Amino acid sequence: MQDSDWSRSLRGFLEHHFDTKLEASCGTAARDRLRYAQALESAGFEGVREVVIEYRDELSFDELIGGVYSAVPADELPGADDRPAFAEGIRQSLPPDQRFIEDVRVSMLVARIR
């Protein structure tokens, strides 16, 4: 879910393939982090704060498809025999000669036990 041609193309393919609108943020949205921070405080932690690491990386197609496989729920993954066609569908949906630059933001909530 990045602001790039390849990411928008990938998202379009996945939404069409799975017949759904992709909206889940895997707990990374600001409101999710706030809820987690409040839960930590309620569980007896103090000094809850967020630490963020950001970097940019270039992915190979194999790394990109591996990321897709790791993000899709196991019960929705294409079977082993169907994965080559699924990967080829993704490859065909992406802009030609596109570099897959990914902006990564890793957020961590850290705290101390009271």
Side-chain angles (χ1 to χ4, degrees):
M1 296 175 63
Q2 300 193 19
D3 187 22
S4 66
D5 290 342
W6 71 264
S7 184
R8 285 186 289 278
S9 295
L10 175 60
R11 181 184 186 141
F13 173 86
L14 294 172
E15 287 182 340
H16 176 74
H17 180 83
F18 292 108
D19 192 28
T20 190
K21 177 109 172 113
L22 299 178
E23 296 176 344
S25 63
C26 303
T28 60
R31 68 182 180 281
D32 296 330
R33 293 191 314 274
L34 177 60
R35 190 176 73 245
Y36 297 154
Q38 291 168 340
L40 283 168
E41 289 172 349
S42 295
F45 290 85
E46 65 182 8
V48 178
R49 63 187 172 89
E50 182 177 14
V51 176
V52 176
I53 299 171
E54 295 180 293
Y55 64 93
R56 176 174 270 204
D57 199 7
E58 182 172 354
L59 305 174
S60 68
F61 180 77
D62 288 341
E63 291 169 323
L64 180 120
I65 194 72
V68 169
Y69 288 150
S70 72
V72 174
D75 62 332
E76 294 181 34
L77 276 173
D81 292 342
D82 297 325
R83 288 188 189 172
F86 179 74
E88 186 57 28
I90 288 176
R91 185 184 304 275
Q92 294 299 317
S93 75
L94 297 172
D97 301 321
Q98 179 78 43
R99 292 174 52 205
F100 309 117
I101 306 297
E102 181 178 36
D103 292 312
V104 180
R105 184 173 198 271
V106 180
S107 299
M108 299 166 277
L109 291 174
V110 295
R112 294 180 308 279
I113 296 175
R114 287 188 191 146

